[in-house]
Amino acid sequence: MKKVLLVGLLCLFCAGTANAQAKRTLTLEDVIELARKNSRSAKLAETQRNLGYWSYRVYRSQLKPQLLVRGTLPSYINRSTPVEQNNGDIDFIEVNQNNSNISLGLEQVLPWTNTTIAFESALARFDNYAQDFSNYQGDPVGITITQPLFQVNPFKWDRQIEPLRYEQSKREFVQDLEDASRQAAAMFFQLLVEQKNLEIALQNESANDTINKVEQGRFNIGTTTEDKVLQTEADLLTAQSQAQQARLDVQSRSLALRNFIGLTDDVELELVPPADAPDFTIEYETALKYAKENRSEFLDFQLDRLEVEQQMAQARAQRFSANLSASYGYNSNQTDNLGDVYNPDNLASGGTFRLTFGIPILDGGRNRARMNQARERMQLTEFTIEQNRINFEQEIANAVRNFGQIRNQIEIAEKRQEIALKRFEITNGRYLAGKVDILDLTNARTSKDESIRSYISALQQYWDAYYELRNLTLYDFRNGELLYNPLLEYDPRTDSVIQREDQ
């Protein structure tokens, strides 16, 4: 029996030790740091930032020369093929031959004029297996220029749009992290509120148990009535039920927070509330200044305007089209010796010139309708941009005003909590001394509990407003520092932050 008891005590000790090891204490800053590293929102933000980086790299690569190898190796035919004769008849001739060609070229686009220049060397070989002979023909060196005429130059618009899109993706990354911070702060306080509710519920359960025993004792000596004893028993049952519900709420909120910040271990979270709410002033003009400098929405306005201007230019260019192509170089005559292809005595200079165009004579009013459509779209975009700008400035004004009001509410809630706690302490002592009845004690306890919850709620609103302003301006007013540095960029190839290249 002693051995069984010893084993049981050892198991209880080990279980208590395991529970102690499974507890983790977190501050608000700890939760936010974990969320910015491990949350799914942060991972999605990183992926979108990397996508913006590589999209910009694609655009930049289009401005650099390309060394291309093109060819057809082989193009083999072995079948009866219809061949038209001189007299117009068709004879089916057995063909067993191969055509191969390969070229090596350097191609460069001039973005200022949308001109494509290509230097190329080409070689072709023909094999006739039925008659057992081979021929070669080549263009050892040649240059080709292709120039679209009267058309929109996409590189002109890309030079303005693509850097803005890249800059936008970097700002959105910082904004997304600030969104994750704000959400983490909200979930931190949601759990903190439930933990405070559990703490209050456990205190009330213990207090109601004490009150029930006091009333039982007073009833035994005839100084109270049975209905008061029954009321204290009902209050105790209510407190026990509230404590059980508070435990369930804590477990639910704790699971949600652990999942969000990426804690996979089944640990008990013990949250440490912020010691205070830092007192600093935020001016609307200052907040608006930082928002215009840092937020991606103000780049959205520029991008929307540029894109609609590009559509207007495209509508204007669709009235007619033309394309100019010219080439010049040296080509060899047909020869059965590969070396003769590059023999200077076998080379001759030559070139081509081609101009293609399309001009509608009657278009049924298509061009006029297309231009009017583009103008109306431009006007609609301007209206939308202006309205969005007004809405965003109003949002910042509301956030600044809300932050100032909440800071005042915290001072009131803190003072109210001090008064309520002191009142409850006094009332509780007077109740135990028999100077006040249970109703006065219940009112004092209710006021105490409400004041504690109000203070936590005020703290929650304060930090939510603080992180909202960080997100809206990408500026930390508390520490006086920018959250976004336009001179830095993340390089996913090296997983490091580097100085931005010259654009």
Side-chain angles (χ1 to χ4, degrees), residues 250-268:
V250 167
Q251 292 175 1
S252 176
R253 292 296 186 183
S254 178
L255 177 61
L257 180 58
R258 289 205 313 269
N259 289 338
F260 184 75
I261 63 179
L263 291 182
T264 56
D265 299 334
D266 186 13
V267 296
E268 178 185 353

Side-chain angles (χ1 to χ4, degrees), residues 93-372:
I93 301 175
E94 188 73 22
V95 175
N96 185 6
Q97 62 187 28
N98 176 56
N99 277 296
S100 301
N101 62 80
I102 189 171
S103 65
L104 177 66
L106 184 65
E107 187 176 287
Q108 172 69 60
V109 175
L110 304 181
W112 307 277
T113 57
N114 194 23
T115 304
T116 302
I117 300 179
F119 297 91
E120 190 173 40
S121 178
L123 176 66
R125 170 172 171 160
F126 172 75
D127 297 296
N128 190 326
Y129 300 110
Q131 300 179 15
D132 192 22
F133 72 87
S134 299
N135 285 328
Y136 297 90
Q137 192 279 330
D139 299 313
V141 61
I143 180 173
T144 301
I145 299 176
T146 304
Q147 177 64 63
L149 303 176
F150 313 112
Q151 296 182 24
V152 172
N153 181 1
F155 296 98
K156 168 190 172 182
W157 296 99
D158 287 347
R159 283 201 307 272
Q160 302 177 68
I161 292 176
E162 293 302 328
L164 286 178
R165 284 179 177 168
Y166 180 47
E167 187 73 14
Q168 184 184 48
S169 69
K170 294 195 295 181
R171 296 186 184 188
E172 286 177 345
F173 170 70
V174 180
Q175 293 172 204
D176 290 340
L177 289 186
E178 290 303 316
D179 280 335
S181 299
R182 186 181 181 188
Q183 188 174 353
M187 299 180 73
F188 173 91
F189 279 102
Q190 288 170 358
L191 176 56
L192 182 62
V193 167
E194 297 303 338
Q195 288 183 345
K196 283 295 180 181
N197 286 337
L198 176 58
E199 181 182 334
I200 291 171
L202 293 175
Q203 291 175 355
N204 290 342
E205 182 182 10
S206 176
N208 278 284
D209 182 63
T210 301
I211 292 172
N212 179 252
K213 292 176 180 178
V214 170
E215 291 297 324
Q216 287 280 2
R218 290 177 178 176
F219 177 74
N220 291 335
I221 62 177
T223 57
T224 190
T225 60
E226 185 178 6
D227 64 320
K228 288 187 177 181
V229 175
L230 294 175
Q231 180 62 47
T232 59
E233 291 178 357
D235 291 342
L236 176 58
L237 292 174
T238 300
Q240 291 172 345
S241 176
Q242 291 174 346
Q244 184 60 33
Q245 183 61 48
R247 291 188 183 94
L248 295 175
D249 294 338
V250 167
Q251 292 175 1
S252 176
R253 292 296 186 183
S254 178
L255 177 61
L257 180 58
R258 289 205 313 269
N259 289 338
F260 184 75
I261 63 179
L263 291 182
T264 56
D265 299 334
D266 186 13
V267 296
E268 178 185 353
L269 300 182
E270 182 178 348
L271 302 186
V272 179
D276 59 357
D279 187 9
F280 53 90
T281 302
I282 300 177
E283 299 294 338
Y284 166 71
E285 292 76 12
T286 304
L288 182 60
K289 169 181 172 292
Y290 285 119
K292 289 182 176 180
E293 293 175 354
N294 301 324
R295 282 288 296 196
S296 66
E297 281 81 355
F298 287 88
L299 293 183
D300 284 339
F301 302 156
Q302 299 180 47
L303 282 170
D304 290 344
R305 186 173 287 109
L306 283 173
E307 288 172 353
V308 76
E309 290 175 358
Q310 182 183 20
Q311 293 172 6
M312 186 69 157
Q314 289 173 342
R316 187 179 297 110
Q318 287 180 354
R319 290 177 295 179
F320 48 85
S321 64
N323 194 72
L324 175 65
S325 176
S327 64
Y328 181 83
Y330 291 90
N331 64 317
S332 67
N333 297 319
Q334 178 176 298
T335 177
D336 58 359
N337 184 6
L338 177 60
D340 289 340
V341 173
Y342 302 97
N343 187 342
D345 297 333
N346 193 39
L347 296 180
S349 62
T352 63
F353 181 84
R354 181 181 296 109
L355 175 64
T356 60
F357 60 89
I359 302 176
I361 304 301
L362 295 175
D363 65 356
R366 184 179 307 171
N367 181 68
R368 181 183 301 172
R370 190 163 48 231
M371 290 297 298
N372 289 334

Side-chain angles (χ1 to χ4, degrees), residues 28-29 32 182 185-186 189 274-282 399-411 413 454-470 476-479:
L28 176 60
E29 290 75 13
I32 289 176
R182 186 181 181 188
F189 279 102
D276 59 357
D279 187 9
F280 53 90
T281 302
I282 300 177
V400 171
R401 182 168 55 252
N402 184 49
F403 181 81
Q405 293 175 350
I406 290 174
R407 188 65 188 82
N408 295 332
Q409 291 175 3
I410 288 181
E411 297 177 357
S454 296
Y455 179 68
I456 296 296
S457 177
L459 277 179
Q460 181 179 10
Q461 294 176 22
Y462 171 87
W463 288 104
D464 181 73
Y466 168 71
Y467 282 104
E468 180 186 17
L469 278 169
R470 280 172 56 113
D476 185 356
F477 291 92
R478 177 187 178 189
N479 299 312

